[in-house]
Amino acid sequence: MKFIHTELDGVLVIQPDIFRDPRGFFLETYQQHKYREGAIAQSFVQDNHSRSVRGTIRGLHAQRMHPQGKLIRVLQGEICDVVVDVRKGSPTFRRWIKTETADNFLQCYVPPGFAHGFCVRSEFAEIEYKCTDFYAPSDELTIIWNDSTIGIKWPSGEPLLSDKDRGARTLDQLMHLLPQYREVA
């Protein structure tokens, strides 16, 4: 199992060991000791599962007072997975990374303080993710998917959006609500 550090501090891409044989495959999708050794020490308290059709963008989402770390994996289909640093004062504020995830079994760990979103590239995709805090609807920050100050290169120019995501605001409009960056000593 490989834990690959990205240019955004704390955001990891996890490449699990996959054991294939004529019957199919086997892999561990989570094992607490290995993930702690790989720099994911938080405990997970909630699992979520979504299914979306091609062209759907879900996000960009974060929580302010109850920030969630998320361990994302694709069960079926293909997505463009995006993580944005929205921590005020961070040296990588507004920067983002994109991971193409499909049959490669890659996982992405999004630490608390980052926004997350994805776009479905296949006919449909099923995503499962573990969260380090509970969902708190009144605490959610929803950033518009095409915020020009972030500049994400999405694979879909005319996405399917939820009402919540359609009504999202820009990062500048949410500036007073964003989490503050705290350097780890």
Side-chain angles (χ1 to χ4, degrees), residues 100-162:
E100 301 290 335
T101 308
D103 294 335
N104 55 20
F105 296 100
L106 293 178
Q107 297 176 340
C108 182
Y109 177 68
V110 181
F114 289 78
H116 173 255
F118 64 88
C119 180
V120 178
R121 298 177 54 101
S122 51
E123 182 181 342
F124 70 91
E126 290 196 36
I127 292 87
E128 186 174 75
Y129 54 101
K130 299 179 143 333
C131 299
T132 60
D133 204 343
F134 299 105
Y135 176 58
S138 63
D139 191 39
E140 190 168 32
L141 298 171
T142 306
I143 302 157
I144 192 76
W145 67 278
N146 61 352
D147 184 332
S148 62
T149 68
I150 300 171
I152 298 168
K153 310 286 190 274
W154 293 101
S156 177
E158 298 283 332
L160 294 171
L161 300 169
S162 68

Side-chain angles (χ1 to χ4, degrees), residues 4 15 28 33 40 47 69 78 100 102 124 131 140-141 157 184:
I4 303 160
Q15 183 177 22
E28 288 181 344
H33 298 298
I40 302 173
D47 284 0
E78 181 180 347
E100 301 290 335
F124 70 91
C131 299
E140 190 168 32
L141 298 171
V184 179

